[in-house]
Amino acid sequence: MDYDIKLVINWPKLNMENFSYRGLTVGKSKINGFGLFADRDYKKDEVLFIVKGKERRAKFTKSETKTFPNDIAINYEKWITPFPNNPWIFVNHSCDPNIGIRGRVTVIASRYIKKGEELSIDYSMVETNPYWSIKCSCRSPKCRHKIVSFTKLDKKLKKKYYEYLPAFLKKNISEELLLKK
């Protein structure tokens, strides 16, 4: 079952139009609602920010997929729910992403990013619940039209994203990618 999640952010202490974080700014997104934009050029592999928040655990279930849309998986059945002032809450999905994860929660540029460009990640890179999927509206020429859990991606895409995956995913799929040709 696909869920079309529309995230409504209504935090009284956070003015989205004036939000900025060390070279990043929030603005209107062509992808969905508000997005995070580069205030300067970033080199490939340059650190952008660290996702900070509260850790939570939950069993993989269909109902769990409807909650916590901004979470980032840090292990199987374990996520970080970002704090409301963390830039991660403004990162939109794209099937042609320009950011990834290094280590556990460090967000880095996965290619050169120009000033003014919206930062995006393929949400499949940070979600492992096999029941999770949502409709894609990224408008990229590479759009898959459906975003699924990393566990459901094909091997070619897993290989493409490998360098920019959270550490636990890299560790768990290394053997799979090496053994299956």
Side-chain angles (χ1 to χ4, degrees):
M1 174 179 277
D2 292 346
Y3 297 99
D4 192 7
I5 297 175
K6 298 273 190 236
L7 178 61
V8 177
I9 301 171
N10 189 17
W11 290 303
K13 293 181 182 177
L14 187 60
N15 181 344
M16 290 181 275
E17 282 92 2
N18 295 322
F19 181 92
S20 65
Y21 183 88
R22 298 181 194 160
L24 305 170
T25 300
V26 172
K28 284 295 271 175
S29 169
K30 290 181 180 176
I31 299 171
N32 183 33
F34 286 90
L36 192 61
F37 294 83
D39 272 353
R40 63 177 183 83
D41 294 347
Y42 285 92
K43 296 176 190 168
K44 181 179 178 184
D45 296 325
E46 189 172 348
V47 173
L48 301 167
F49 63 92
I50 295 172
V51 179
K52 295 182 180 177
K54 184 176 172 135
E55 287 187 19
R56 73 173 183 88
R57 289 184 173 272
K59 293 287 182 195
F60 289 150
T61 63
K62 288 180 182 178
S63 62
E64 193 277 330
T65 64
K66 297 181 216 174
T67 60
F68 307 101
N70 290 104
D71 285 10
I72 180 171
I74 55 172
N75 212 329
Y76 292 101
E77 299 184 335
K78 189 174 182 181
W79 296 264
I80 288 184
T81 301
F83 293 132
N85 63 346
N86 192 269
W88 183 258
I89 63 170
F90 297 108
V91 173
N92 282 315
H93 164 84
S94 175
C95 293
D96 188 18
N98 58 10
I99 65 172
I101 304 297
R102 172 153 301 140
R104 190 171 174 212
V105 290
T106 301
V107 179
I108 63 169
S110 59
R111 63 165 174 76
Y112 177 78
I113 298 172
K114 294 180 191 174
K115 180 180 178 177
E117 189 175 347
E118 183 172 0
L119 305 184
S120 62
I121 193 163
D122 187 330
Y123 286 166
S124 297
M125 297 167 69
V126 293
E127 181 53 68
T128 54
N129 185 334
Y131 299 108
W132 179 83
S133 70
I134 58 174
K135 181 180 164 188
C136 183
S137 59
C138 75
R139 299 183 183 110
S140 161
K142 297 179 180 181
C143 185
R144 299 187 311 271
H145 307 289
K146 182 178 181 182
I147 313 164
V148 296
S149 164
F150 184 80
T151 59
K152 304 246 178 171
L153 290 179
D154 64 48
K155 184 180 173 187
K156 184 178 176 184
L157 208 45
K158 286 180 180 180
K159 272 188 165 184
K160 177 184 174 188
Y161 289 156
Y162 182 80
E163 185 178 351
Y164 298 101
L165 294 174
F168 83 97
L169 274 176
K170 278 181 153 177
K171 179 182 173 188
N172 289 305
I173 67 158
S174 293
E175 193 173 301
E176 171 192 342
L177 294 177
L178 291 172
L179 294 176
K180 296 180 182 176
K181 293 192 178 188

